[in-house]
Amino acid sequence: MKNIYSHISLKNVRFHARHGVMPQERIVGADFTVNLTVEVDLSKPASTDNVDDTVNYATLYNILSEEMNIASQLLEHVAERAAKRIMATFEQVKTVDIEITKCNPPMQADCDGAAVKMVFERT
């Protein structure tokens, strides 16, 4: 049997952060959710049952938390910073798929949020 695709995901991780273009957003902050999927070959940890052979999702969360804590104007900037750190931390990660949603964007719309989704591939 051969593993053809595997990934690790963090789903709907909630943060309060100070991202936004308007000054008030940088002062008061807003609620955000992040969905993260990293593509990684999980064949080895599936066989060894050793956490050292996998991508630790607690470390992924810590990277997200630290990057979300750095105020930025654009969610695109936050997504790219997080992806770079994830790839630098885990050399076995092939792709990073990250979606950051501002839950209550400052616009006159009744919606569940405004989001950016970016997929990065190791080159």
Side-chain angles (χ1 to χ4, degrees):
M1 177 169 60
K2 180 180 178 185
N3 176 40
I4 59 168
Y5 176 78
S6 51
H7 65 269
I8 293 175
S9 296
L10 297 178
K11 299 180 179 203
N12 295 318
V13 184
R14 292 174 289 283
F15 297 98
H16 188 83
R18 290 173 167 74
H19 306 306
V21 175
M22 294 190 285
Q24 187 67 9
E25 294 178 285
R26 308 283 293 275
I27 296 168
V28 176
D31 293 328
F32 295 84
T33 59
V34 178
N35 286 294
L36 174 73
T37 299
V38 296
E39 181 185 356
V40 59
D41 184 353
L42 297 175
S43 299
K44 185 174 182 182
S47 296
T48 65
D49 196 28
N50 185 338
V51 71
D52 293 331
D53 293 333
T54 193
V55 172
N56 186 315
Y57 54 80
T59 303
L60 290 174
Y61 169 79
N62 289 336
I63 291 170
L64 284 180
S65 180
E66 290 169 8
E67 293 303 326
M68 288 297 289
N69 200 38
I70 301 169
S72 298
Q73 290 188 63
L74 300 177
L75 298 180
E76 295 89 327
H77 187 63
V78 181
E80 183 177 70
R81 282 196 329 257
K84 282 181 179 179
R85 282 200 50 206
I86 290 165
M87 288 209 179
T89 303
F90 298 105
E91 65 183 34
Q92 66 268 49
V93 169
K94 298 174 186 176
T95 64
V96 174
D97 181 329
I98 185 169
E99 180 177 41
I100 304 173
T101 303
K102 184 178 286 190
C103 298
N104 191 14
M107 58 186 189
Q108 300 301 316
D110 182 13
C111 65
D112 290 334
V116 298
K117 179 180 173 103
M118 300 177 76
V119 180
F120 300 90
E121 180 178 50
R122 187 178 298 279
T123 57

